[in-house]
């Protein structure tokens, strides 16, 4: 069955619908959503239902657009005050950690393929290239699993993972492109040239990302659009143009969109709630589309021969490369508990990004590139199956789990420029000992109780309203 203009929308909507329904079941059993989306694409692919999709260019373009939005949204949801205490740990894991993972895994691949052969013998450069495509982690599936089961993390582990997962993709991307260039043009690329290129990409990506974030937030705050629904569309246009502008200037587009999101998310922003809701929904849609596309791209029958090699590489990355990398990167931080480092060592999930990066050697015409792609795909499935399904269990086993911050009971936000803050508090029996009406309780000067949630009902209170235990109060007060 081939994709055409007439059936692409019907088949696409069916795939998205089936994936969402399957993911609902997967949540219950702690299965990563990404894994289910990939399996859905494989089931509907050429070796399953029969949908034929083999366009590497289209898959790469879909991946580029999806990753841009995903990284921007991740940056927008990250609060500087949360990551500031763990800035050093996160950046070390996302930069030095990527390099160490590439070196350790690349040397291991070169050793086992040259010594034991298995399905293919790879040169040192190609071995490092294969390792570089898999050197970034995907923590988005970790958060979805923890949220679905109501598990939080102690010792600032969540912001460390957020910072690492948001900022390690650009480093892996640059290493992959650099090693593709070396593998294709052996003898014509110097180490100094590669380092200069990496430095240029980092610098340009950082500067353009900051400028786009500052300019975008200023534009959103100052422009007066006739319809509030246009503000999320305006933000999306800024996100989409950030990557190609950075790429035209020879910078790292993925780094730029992440920094732009970080800047926008930490500045005062008009209509923040509308834009956050829009971007979250769009991010989920693009994740589904990207994972389905990658699932359709692979032919499961071609992976049979590479299973022994892929299993060996996957186990090495899980039990050697990732733990060694984490412990070396965190050596300066001796105050971090050992159980936290053990947890970080296990949360090295491979996601959609390595699969997308594995298409670059294929488009460059590199020998055995289809084998590299199949190895990366299989290791991704293996990582999500073994590591992804044990995250919650391990957090509890290492006593790192804590109650996650509950979502707002009211879902109300106010503009930041007002200078006030909203606060929710649950009424306890101890609070009612001095009196059970609002006028008899001391909430502090300048605090106004706006709403009371009692069960499924909402009450607009006055001073004589009698409060009950477990009532939830929404108050407004001046920021200190």
């Amino acid at each position: 069955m081939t994709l055409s203009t007439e059936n692409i929308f019907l088949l696409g909507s069916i795939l998205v619908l089936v994936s969402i329904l399957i993911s609902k079941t997967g949540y219950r059993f702690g299965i990563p959503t990404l894994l289910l989306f990939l399996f859905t694409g494989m089931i509907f692919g050429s070796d399953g239902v029969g949908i034929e999709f083999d366009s590497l260019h289209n898959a790469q373009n879909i991946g580029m657009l999806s990753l841009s939005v995903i990284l921007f949204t991740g940056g927008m949801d990250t609060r500087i005050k949360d990551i500031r205490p763990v800035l050093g740990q996160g950046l070390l894991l996302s930069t030095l950690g990527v390099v160490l993972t590439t070196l350790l895994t690349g040397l291991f691949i070169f050793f086992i393929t040259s010594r034991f052969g298995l399905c293919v013998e790879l040169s040192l450069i190609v071995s490092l290239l294969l390792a570089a495509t898999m050197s970034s982690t995907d923590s988005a599936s970790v958060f979805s699993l923890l949220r679905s089961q109501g598990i939080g993390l102690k010792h600032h582990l969540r912001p460390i993972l957020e910072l690492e997962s948001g900022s390690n993709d650009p480093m892996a991307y640059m290493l992959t492109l650099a090693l593709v260039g070396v593998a294709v043009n052996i003898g014509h690329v110097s180490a100094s040239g590669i380092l200069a290129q990496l430095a240029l990409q980092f610098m340009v990506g950082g500067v353009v990302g900051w400028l786009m974030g500052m300019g975008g937030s200023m534009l959103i705050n100052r422009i007066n659009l006739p319809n509030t629904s246009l503000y999320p569309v305006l933000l999306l246009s800024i996100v989409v143009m950030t990557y190609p502008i950075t790429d035209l200037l020879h910078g790292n587009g993925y780094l730029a969109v992440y920094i732009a999101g970080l800047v926008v998310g930490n500045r005062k922003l008009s209509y923040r709630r509308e834009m956050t809701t829009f971007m979250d929904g769009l991010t989920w849609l693009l994740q589904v589309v990207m994972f389905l596309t990658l699932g359709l791209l692979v032919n499961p029958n071609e992976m049979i021969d590479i299973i022994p090699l892929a299993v060996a590489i996957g186990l090495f990355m899980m039990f050697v490369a990732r733990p060694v990398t984490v412990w070396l990167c965190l050596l300066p931080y001796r105050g971090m508990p050992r159980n936290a480092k053990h947890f970080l060592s296990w949360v090295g999930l491979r996601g959609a990004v390595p699969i997308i990066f594995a298409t670059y050697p294929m488009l460059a015409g590199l020998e055995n590139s289809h084998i590299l792609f199949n190895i990366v795909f299989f290791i991704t499935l293996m990582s999500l199956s073994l590591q992804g399904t044990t995250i919650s269990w391990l957090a509890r086993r290492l006593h790192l789990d804590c109650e996650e911050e509950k979502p707002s009971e009211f879902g109300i936000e106010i503009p930041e420029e007002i200078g006030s803050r909203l606060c929710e508090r649950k009424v306890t029996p101890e609070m009612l000992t001095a009196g059970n009406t609002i006028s008899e309780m001391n909430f502090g000067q300048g605090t106004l109780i706006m709403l009371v949630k009692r069960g499924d009902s909402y009450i607009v209170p006055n001073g004589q309203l009698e409060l009950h235990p477990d009532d939830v109060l929404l108050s407004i007060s001046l920021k200190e």
Side-chain angles (χ1 to χ4, degrees):
M1 184 178 184
T2 58
L3 292 175
S4 63
T5 306
E6 291 75 17
N7 61 30
I8 189 170
F9 290 110
L10 175 61
L11 292 174
S13 60
I14 291 174
L15 284 172
V16 171
L17 176 62
V18 170
S19 299
I20 293 174
L21 294 177
I22 292 176
S23 68
K24 178 177 175 62
T25 304
Y27 267 134
R28 192 173 305 167
F29 298 98
I31 302 174
T33 305
L34 168 57
L35 181 63
L36 297 173
F37 292 161
L38 286 174
F39 273 130
T40 303
M42 293 170 65
I43 291 171
F44 280 84
S46 58
D47 288 344
V49 174
I51 298 178
E52 296 181 7
F53 180 80
D54 57 1
S55 176
L56 293 174
H57 285 284
N58 288 337
Q60 205 172 83
N61 290 334
I62 292 172
M64 182 271 291
L65 174 62
S66 302
L67 285 178
S68 295
V69 175
I70 292 168
L71 287 173
F72 182 91
T73 304
M76 192 173 174
D77 291 339
T78 301
R79 293 288 171 261
I80 295 293
K81 62 184 179 74
D82 293 333
I83 67 173
R84 187 177 288 116
V86 295
L87 190 62
Q89 297 96 310
L91 289 180
L92 276 175
L93 288 172
S94 64
T95 53
L96 178 61
V98 170
V99 175
L100 289 175
T101 300
T102 299
L103 289 175
L104 291 172
T105 308
L107 292 173
F108 175 77
I109 294 171
F110 175 68
F111 172 76
I112 61 172
T113 56
S114 60
R115 179 66 63 89
F116 302 104
L118 297 180
C119 66
V120 65
E121 185 173 342
L122 301 177
S123 66
L124 179 59
I125 294 298
V126 176
S127 298
L128 291 171
L129 170 59
L130 175 56
T133 61
M134 301 181 291
S135 58
S136 64
T137 60
D138 181 78
S139 295
S141 55
V142 178
F143 301 139
S144 65
L145 282 173
L146 296 175
R147 291 191 190 104
S148 67
Q149 299 182 23
I151 297 175
L153 294 173
K154 300 176 183 177
H155 307 301
H156 301 289
L157 286 174
R158 182 180 293 275
I160 291 177
L161 290 169
E162 286 179 343
L163 181 58
E164 180 195 7
S165 63
S167 56
N168 65 3
D169 290 340
M171 187 67 181
Y173 172 72
M174 288 188 289
L175 280 179
T176 299
L177 289 187
L179 289 170
V180 166
V182 173
V184 173
N185 304 291
I186 294 179
H188 301 282
V189 180
S190 63
S192 59
I194 294 176
L195 292 175
Q197 182 184 10
L198 293 178
L200 176 65
Q201 288 207 9
F202 257 116
M203 182 178 67
V204 174
V207 171
V208 173
W210 183 82
L211 290 175
M212 293 297 290
M214 293 291 293
S217 58
M218 291 174 60
L219 176 62
I220 290 170
N221 288 331
R222 295 185 180 183
I223 194 171
N224 186 17
L225 296 177
N227 191 323
T228 57
S229 299
L230 292 175
Y231 285 93
V233 179
L234 175 61
L235 180 63
L236 178 61
S237 66
I238 295 171
V239 176
V240 173
M241 71 171 63
T242 298
Y243 183 95
I245 289 176
T246 310
D247 191 61
L248 287 173
L249 297 174
H250 304 290
N252 189 305
Y254 294 127
L255 179 63
V257 292
Y258 178 72
I259 291 180
L262 202 61
V263 172
V264 170
N266 286 274
R267 286 175 58 85
K268 290 185 177 181
L269 203 63
S270 301
Y271 305 101
R272 177 184 295 274
R273 184 181 179 191
E274 289 83 352
M275 286 185 286
T276 300
T277 302
F278 174 83
M279 293 301 293
D280 285 344
L282 182 62
T283 297
W284 270 108
L285 173 62
L286 290 176
Q287 283 188 97
V288 174
V289 172
M290 177 174 63
F291 300 155
L292 287 174
T293 301
L294 296 174
L296 290 171
L297 191 63
V298 72
N299 296 317
N301 289 333
E302 296 180 357
M303 291 195 293
I304 296 175
D305 294 337
I306 56 90
I307 289 178
L309 177 59
V311 168
I313 298 172
L315 292 177
F316 178 84
M317 296 186 74
M318 292 180 199
F319 295 102
V320 180
R322 173 70 179 182
V324 169
T325 295
V326 168
W327 284 80
L328 287 177
C329 288
L330 298 181
L331 274 178
Y333 303 94
R334 301 184 183 278
M336 179 175 285
R338 295 172 63 89
N339 59 346
K341 294 180 180 179
H342 285 311
F343 184 80
L344 288 173
S345 298
W346 186 244
V347 189
L349 276 75
R350 311 300 149 190
V353 174
I355 303 175
I356 295 172
F357 289 171
T359 63
Y360 285 92
M362 298 178 73
L363 288 173
L366 197 65
E367 186 181 2
N368 295 321
S369 57
H370 66 287
I371 295 179
L372 304 186
F373 179 86
N374 289 331
I375 291 173
V376 172
F377 196 98
F378 186 89
I379 291 176
T380 298
L381 296 179
M382 181 179 169
S383 172
L384 291 171
S385 299
L386 293 179
Q387 295 172 293
T389 56
T390 56
I391 294 298
S392 301
W393 171 83
L394 185 62
R396 295 188 183 96
R397 185 67 181 268
L398 294 175
H399 306 292
L400 295 170
D401 60 307
C402 61
E403 187 176 353
E404 189 177 33
E405 183 179 348
K406 294 182 179 179
S408 170
E409 295 277 359
F410 297 90
I412 297 175
E413 292 184 4
I414 58 176
E416 296 179 357
E417 57 268 20
I418 291 180
S420 300
R421 65 185 179 92
L422 295 178
C423 180
E424 296 180 19
R425 68 185 77 184
K426 179 175 286 189
V427 176
T428 63
E430 292 76 16
M431 295 171 61
L432 303 176
T433 54
N436 63 352
T437 64
I438 291 180
S439 60
E440 295 173 325
M441 302 178 68
N442 182 21
F443 292 108
Q445 187 175 3
T447 298
L448 175 66
I449 305 300
M450 300 170 56
L451 278 176
V452 176
K453 183 173 187 270
R454 181 172 296 163
D456 295 328
S457 302
Y458 294 88
I459 304 170
V460 179
N462 56 35
Q464 301 308 311
L465 177 69
E466 293 185 1
L467 298 178
H468 300 165
D470 296 329
D471 284 351
V472 182
L473 311 180
L474 176 67
S475 64
I476 184 171
S477 59
L478 295 175
K479 290 183 178 179
E480 298 179 356

